[in-house]
């Protein structure tokens, strides 16, 4: 008599059963993901393939015509270059400050490390709109700290909302908001660095700086890559800070100051939903490509 226990058909059936159970567990997330992420993307792409008719009403299919227009749009590229400059300056400065804060808190030489960790993280807990309004009152030309300093000096020496300083002022707000968040990422990565590596470096005569450069920094390279990717995405999505400050500096911050502001104002002020979707998709693709390139470079260095 031949036994059928453990036969290939039974094993295949068990694998299919496990696969079905897995899909049952994943199904709630998959449904939410499809409704909140995939469906809006598909809808936005569909919108980008049409264009409103100015005189006859309705929409007409134009294929990639909106994308051709976006790639030749001077306002879009001005906004893109502005956030690219913002990224190139603000992100390295912020990550350097984060590294210094994380290493200082992780070291045993800093007293009340828990207190400083909480103080550095606290700005991230402040709602973004509240944070920008708070800094807007500090930057104001007719009220707040900047106005008081100008009144004290007898001249307009401090102008955070001027055309020459507005990007720096926004960078200061973003850095103040997100240093604490990124600091926790680096600090958490530092806490899992193997102690024996640090002890071995100390036995070999490595000082504090050498230990940081040769042991700790390589150990948290993955966390640095993650924080860099998040910061790049956040820079290209810059919207909240300039949009709120625009009421204080309407002649400096235009409706196309950043790509997200441009897409927002095209849609809600200009009623150009199709072209707005096109701008958003083009910016999303550029952001994804740059973030992916940074991730690949970081993985290559880690290997």
């Amino acid at each position: 008599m031949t036994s059928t226990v453990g036969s290939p058909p039974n094993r295949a059936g068990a694998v299919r059963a496990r696969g079905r159970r897995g899909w049952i567990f994943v199904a709630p997330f998959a449904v939410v993901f499809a409704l909140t992420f995939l469906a809006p993307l598909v809808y936005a792409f569909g919108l980008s393939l049409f264009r409103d008719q100015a005189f006859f009403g309705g929409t007409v299919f134009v294929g990639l015509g909106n994308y051709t227009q976006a790639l030749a749009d001077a306002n879009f590229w001005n906004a893109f270059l502005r956030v690219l400059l913002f990224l190139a300056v603000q992100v390295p400065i912020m990550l350097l400050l984060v590294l210094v804060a994380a290493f200082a808190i992780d070291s045993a030489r800093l007293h009340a490390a828990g207190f400083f960790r909480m103080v550095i993280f606290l700005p991230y807990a402040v709602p973004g709109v509240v944070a920008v309004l708070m800094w807007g009152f500090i930057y104001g030309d007719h009220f707040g700290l900047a106005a008081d300093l100008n009144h004290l000096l007898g001249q307009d020496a401090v102008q955070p909302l001027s055309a020459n300083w507005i990007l720096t002022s926004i960078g200061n707000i973003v850095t103040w908001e997100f240093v604490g968040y990124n600091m926790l990422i680096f600090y958490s990565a530092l806490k899992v660095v193997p102690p024996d590596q640090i002890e071995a470096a100390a036995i070999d005569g490595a000082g504090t700086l050498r230990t940081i450069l040769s042991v700790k920094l390589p150990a948290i390279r993955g966390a640095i890559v993650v924080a860099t990717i998040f910061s790049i995405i956040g820079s290209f999505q810059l919207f909240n800070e300039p949009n709120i400050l625009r009421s204080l500096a309407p002649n400096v911050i235009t409706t196309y100051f950043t790509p997200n502001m441009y897409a927002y104002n095209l849609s809600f002020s200009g009623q150009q939903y199709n072209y707005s979707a096109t701008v958003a998709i083009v910016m999303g693709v550029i952001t994804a490509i740059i973030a992916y390139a940074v991730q690949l470079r970081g993985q290559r260095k880690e290997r």
Side-chain angles (χ1 to χ4, degrees):
M1 182 175 180
T2 304
S3 175
T4 59
V5 177
S7 61
N10 286 342
R11 287 199 297 270
V15 171
R16 287 195 296 269
R18 285 197 298 270
R20 286 193 295 269
R21 288 195 294 269
W23 277 109
I24 291 173
F25 281 108
V26 173
F29 166 79
V31 171
V32 174
F33 180 78
L35 292 177
T36 61
F37 184 77
L38 296 180
L41 280 180
V42 173
Y43 179 67
F45 180 72
L47 281 178
S48 69
L49 301 178
F50 293 84
R51 183 179 298 167
D52 289 332
Q53 292 181 321
F55 301 102
F56 302 102
T59 58
V60 60
F61 180 79
V62 294
L64 299 179
N66 287 329
Y67 291 92
T68 303
Q69 180 183 349
L71 294 177
D73 191 341
N75 290 338
F76 171 75
W77 288 113
N78 286 336
F80 173 77
L81 292 177
R82 188 175 291 112
V83 294
L84 188 64
L85 174 62
F86 177 87
L87 183 157
V89 176
Q90 187 269 334
V91 171
I93 292 176
M94 180 180 66
L95 293 182
L96 180 61
L97 292 175
V98 169
L99 280 172
V100 172
F103 284 131
I105 293 175
D106 182 65
S107 69
R109 299 181 180 181
L110 183 65
H111 298 289
F115 170 76
F116 285 105
R117 185 168 65 247
M118 180 187 68
V119 169
I120 295 174
F121 179 76
L122 191 59
Y124 181 71
V126 178
V129 174
V130 175
V132 179
L133 288 175
M134 180 183 69
W135 280 99
F137 282 112
I138 295 175
Y139 290 157
D141 295 332
H142 305 292
F143 48 80
L145 181 60
D148 291 341
L149 288 175
N150 289 332
H151 180 73
L152 180 64
L153 297 174
Q155 58 180 338
D156 293 335
V158 182
Q159 294 182 309
L161 298 180
S162 63
N164 294 330
W165 289 99
I166 187 63
L167 209 57
T168 303
S169 300
I170 294 174
N172 178 62
I173 298 175
V174 174
T175 302
W176 182 83
E177 288 179 307
F178 291 99
V179 160
Y181 172 79
N182 291 296
M183 181 271 297
L184 282 187
I185 295 178
F186 290 176
Y187 179 72
S188 300
L190 285 170
K191 299 309 290 183
V192 297
V193 175
D196 55 347
Q197 294 184 9
I198 300 176
E199 294 174 1
I203 293 174
D204 291 339
T208 303
L209 182 59
R210 175 53 59 186
T211 302
I212 290 175
L213 295 177
S214 301
V215 178
K216 293 185 177 181
L217 267 180
I220 66 171
R221 188 184 302 276
I224 295 175
V225 172
V226 170
T228 302
I229 292 174
F230 285 171
S231 300
I232 290 173
I233 295 173
S235 297
F236 282 133
Q237 291 181 343
L238 187 65
F239 174 80
N240 189 45
E241 291 79 9
N243 191 56
I244 295 176
L245 290 177
R246 186 167 179 264
S247 60
L248 299 177
N251 296 326
V252 176
I253 300 178
T254 61
T255 57
Y256 53 89
F257 190 80
T258 69
N260 270 8
M261 283 187 64
Y262 189 36
Y264 175 85
N265 286 294
L266 281 172
S267 178
F268 291 97
S269 298
Q271 307 298 314
Q272 300 181 49
Y273 306 112
N274 305 95
Y275 189 54
S276 173
T278 305
V279 171
I281 290 175
V282 170
M283 196 61 208
V285 171
I286 294 175
T287 303
I289 292 173
I290 294 178
Y292 184 64
V294 171
Q295 181 182 3
L296 286 181
R297 183 174 179 82
Q299 291 176 345
R300 190 178 302 115
K301 285 187 175 181
E302 190 170 0
R303 287 195 297 266

